[in-house]
Amino acid sequence: MDDTALTRRDALKVGALSAAALSIPFLPGPLAAKRASEIAENRIPRPYTMAFRKPPVIQPSGRIGDRDVYEITQSQVKREILPGVKTTLFAYNGTVPGPTFRVQRRRPIIVRHINKLPARHPSLGYVPWTSTHLHGAPSLPQYDGYANDISLPGQYKDYFYDNLEPGRTLWYHDHGVHHTSENVYMGLAAQYQILDGAENKLGLPRGAYDVPLIVSDVAFTGSGELLFDNHSDSGHMGDVVLVNGVPWPLMPVEPRKYRFRLLVATNARSFRLRLSNDAPMNVIGTDGGLVARPVPVQELLVGMAERYDLVIDFAPYEGQRIELRNLDPDNTIEYDHTDKVMAFQVGQSVSDPTNNALPAALVESPVMALTPQQAVTTRHMRFERQGSEWVVDGQIWDDVVRSEFRKAIAEPGVGDVEIWELENTSGGWFHPVHVHLVDFKILDRNGTPPRPQEQGPKDVVYVGEGEVVRIIAEFGSLITPPGVPEVRRSGRYMIHCHNVTHEDHDMMTQFWVGGEGAGPDPIQADPPRALPAPPIPPIV
């Protein structure tokens, strides 16, 4: 593809085509508004009237060598989000959110992603190319969802995942250059869970009591289609909160402990979560896996792409309804019902009392043992708005493209430990900063300790207005189990804001582990191929 197809002009054209553009600027603190959707108010269900559901769990389609092969088709579908209203969505295997992967640690797999999306977006007019990022995995560069490693409609790509990282809640989503925000908003997002058998010994909730929660927000046109308004490149925020694709669902629960794998998959909205009865939520895991010991919190500030594994004990609340509420964090546009997320209706009996523990000790992550004394250098990066663009230290992704993908903001050596200082100088915005490849430890926030829930390995950090957050990471050297040879990675990886509109316009750059020229080329090493794809050998 020639370079002109990979510039911001395509994204700017999207802005011009958006009939819903309101050009509302962001201001510090929550903004008050009634509705964003244009559809009749009586077509939107009242909170807590729709049934909770889990996304389906995907099964392998076949096997190549010792690797199970999974097949995901990206397609345009019509589905009901609002009762009786068909909405055009982009789906993984026909569902929004897509199917959940539940794979065993140290069991490598192949995921074939097939782009069967239309040649043009149905309302915004852009070409829906895709690049699938397994967020939170230390993938090889050519399988990391590099922004310009795009699959066009009519192409497919096989992604190889080793699954060597410790058990954790990841997610997979589109990362196609300049259209991440639209494609994720249309539905291209889902969870990917790595299961570590060692966790079973802890007695944590399992099976039916281990529940994915994918939180997003949308708005609707008068005809029931998705309304996309990026608020002058500040980020889309809807007035309908979805959990696993359902508006404000009601979930029946038993009076016992549940594990919830929480993912915020919004474009630009953060959440400050609290249970309506002020009961504690016990943080047992962060982006990079289990924490050393449970952390009880009554409020949980969560930005886009962050994951928290929570244990909630419903045993004391038989017969009660408990709401999960949103307490209006800063830098958001609040509508009539965005203070609500979902509700739990607690039953009277427990059908399975096993795996109902919350142990005092969980897992000590080696990442959390990193100390500033180990760092070979400290780098400072500013995330800010300059004119009409979102930049990282004055750099935008188009600078990377114009350099023929050689420009890098950092070149850590393989195995180097570095401290990165992430500064948000923008007024009116927060930036959830995602560093690909690595898990990191948050050292401090404006010189004060991290928030209680951040006491575990992370790959996204919420950087608020006027904040400087210091993180420490080891680059390119993967933690492997005893007896497994060390795995090392080199090559080009992205760092960006996970407000995906900021990312598209153009708050993303790259770092090069091992220095310029190291590692596989993420665009050329294993490019997508034209359909039809070869058949997948069946499992015998």
Side-chain angles (χ1 to χ4, degrees):
M1 173 166 292
D2 62 34
D3 287 344
T4 59
L6 304 179
T7 68
R8 290 188 66 250
R9 284 179 289 175
D10 189 61
L12 293 173
K13 182 168 60 179
V14 171
L17 288 169
S18 177
L22 302 177
S23 300
I24 301 175
F26 275 29
L27 297 172
L31 304 181
K34 180 175 172 55
R35 301 183 69 221
S37 293
E38 299 168 348
I39 196 168
E41 194 167 0
N42 63 6
R43 303 305 300 273
I44 297 176
R46 297 190 310 277
Y48 319 138
T49 59
M50 296 192 68
F52 176 84
R53 67 168 181 250
K54 295 181 184 180
V57 176
I58 192 171
Q59 301 299 322
S61 301
R63 184 170 292 149
I64 296 177
D66 63 347
R67 296 192 178 212
D68 287 341
V69 182
Y70 296 78
E71 190 169 82
I72 293 282
T73 298
Q74 306 161 3
S75 64
Q76 180 173 296
V77 299
K78 288 275 194 178
R79 295 288 183 268
E80 285 190 12
I81 299 176
L82 306 178
V85 178
K86 294 285 189 180
T87 299
T88 304
L89 302 169
F90 288 174
Y92 289 134
N93 283 5
T95 69
V96 177
T100 301
F101 283 78
R102 289 177 59 84
V103 300
Q104 296 297 323
R105 185 185 185 193
R106 300 191 292 277
R107 185 175 178 87
I109 68 170
I110 299 169
V111 181
R112 174 168 293 172
H113 276 273
I114 301 170
N115 187 341
K116 288 190 175 180
L117 294 167
R120 296 283 173 183
H121 186 282
S123 61
L124 302 179
Y126 67 87
V127 178
W129 56 60
T130 61
S131 179
T132 303
H133 174 47
L134 180 53
H135 182 127
S139 305
L140 286 163
Q142 66 269 39
Y143 306 124
D144 189 51
Y146 192 78
N148 290 69
D149 179 28
I150 59 171
S151 298
L152 295 169
Q155 293 183 325
Y156 76 97
K157 176 163 178 162
D158 289 346
Y159 291 80
F160 293 75
Y161 302 129
D162 291 330
N163 299 320
L164 290 174
E165 57 270 34
R168 62 185 62 189
T169 302
L170 304 90
W171 63 304
Y172 62 103
H173 64 84
D174 183 62
H175 215 304
V177 64
H178 296 320
H179 293 303
T180 299
S181 56
E182 298 99 322
N183 288 347
V184 170
Y185 182 63
M186 290 290 290
L188 295 184
Q191 282 199 9
Y192 183 110
Q193 302 167 9
I194 293 183
L195 310 177
D196 191 336
E199 286 188 14
N200 296 341
K201 300 176 183 178
L202 298 173
L204 294 167
R206 296 168 56 192
Y209 308 104
D210 182 350
V211 182
L213 300 180
I214 303 173
V215 181
S216 56
D217 63 339
V218 293
F220 295 92
T221 67
S223 63
E225 298 294 352
L226 291 184
L227 185 156
F228 183 75
D229 174 14
N230 71 12
H231 297 107
S232 300
D233 299 344
S234 291
H236 170 86
M237 294 191 197
D239 59 350
V240 178
V241 175
L242 307 179
V243 179
N244 296 348
V246 179
W248 305 287
L250 176 65
M251 177 184 179
V253 295
E254 298 177 6
R256 55 153 292 159
K257 296 181 182 70
Y258 280 72
R259 175 179 183 170
F260 294 105
R261 298 175 183 260
L262 174 69
L263 158 67
V264 170
T266 55
N267 267 218
R269 182 180 297 282
S270 64
F271 291 84
R272 189 157 59 97
L273 301 174
R274 191 180 185 101
L275 293 172
S276 57
N277 63 351
D278 293 332
M281 299 175 285
N282 295 281
V283 176
I284 64 164
T286 51
D287 306 334
L290 293 183
V291 297
R293 58 195 58 82
V295 181
V297 297
Q298 286 189 308
E299 288 187 11
L300 187 68
L301 180 65
V302 192
M304 297 79 80
E306 288 189 286
R307 287 93 65 214
Y308 287 102
D309 282 22
L310 310 171
V311 170
I312 300 176
D313 189 0
F314 296 105
Y317 313 114
E318 288 186 18
Q320 298 182 32
R321 190 180 80 175
I322 301 170
E323 298 177 18
L324 182 61
R325 294 177 176 166
N326 176 28
L327 302 182
D328 298 346
D330 288 345
N331 310 134
T332 55
I333 303 174
E334 301 306 326
Y335 300 105
D336 279 354
H337 296 295
T338 52
D339 61 342
K340 306 170 186 70
V341 179
M342 65 179 296
F344 307 97
Q345 183 62 51
V346 186
Q348 303 285 346
S349 62
V350 174
S351 58
D352 183 355
T354 63
N355 300 303
N356 193 26
L358 182 62
L362 295 170
V363 173
E364 295 275 359
S365 169
V367 174
M368 302 308 291
L370 294 174
T371 65
Q373 291 73 29
Q374 296 173 263
V376 299
T377 191
T378 296
R379 304 180 192 272
H380 190 93
M381 303 176 189
R382 297 183 318 279
F383 291 75
E384 59 190 344
R385 189 161 192 170
Q386 290 184 353
S388 62
E389 293 179 320
W390 300 99
V391 303
V392 184
D393 260 9
Q395 297 183 22
I396 62 174
W397 188 249
D398 274 357
D399 295 330
V400 175
V401 175
R402 284 191 289 267
S403 74
E404 298 183 343
F405 303 100
R406 308 197 76 79
K407 187 178 183 66
I409 202 166
E411 295 186 3
V414 177
D416 281 358
V417 175
E418 295 194 357
I419 294 172
W420 288 8
E421 297 176 343
L422 312 175
E423 180 181 9
N424 177 4
T425 63
S426 303
W429 299 274
F430 73 95
H431 299 300
V433 177
H434 175 39
V435 184
H436 286 227
L437 177 65
V438 299
D439 295 335
F440 55 74
K441 173 183 176 180
I442 301 175
L443 291 173
D444 49 54
R445 185 182 297 278
N446 282 352
T448 63
R451 298 185 178 104
Q453 71 263 24
E454 296 175 324
Q455 303 291 334
K458 297 278 290 167
D459 57 51
V460 180
V461 60
Y462 190 116
V463 186
E465 290 183 71
E467 286 190 329
V468 177
V469 180
R470 293 197 311 151
I471 64 174
I472 187 170
E474 182 176 346
F475 289 83
S477 181
L478 274 63
I479 299 165
T480 55
V484 176
E486 182 183 20
V487 175
R488 297 166 78 83
R489 296 276 194 258
S490 60
R492 308 198 307 265
Y493 292 90
M494 295 173 290
I495 174 174
H496 60 86
C497 177
H498 224 291
N499 178 324
V500 281
T501 299
H502 293 184
E503 172 190 324
D504 285 342
H505 293 277
D506 214 14
M507 191 175 267
M508 180 166 65
T509 186
Q510 68 178 359
F511 59 98
W512 202 321
V513 179
E516 184 172 332
D521 186 303
I523 301 175
Q524 302 297 332
D526 193 355
R529 295 168 172 80
L531 291 171
I536 298 171
I539 297 174
V540 294

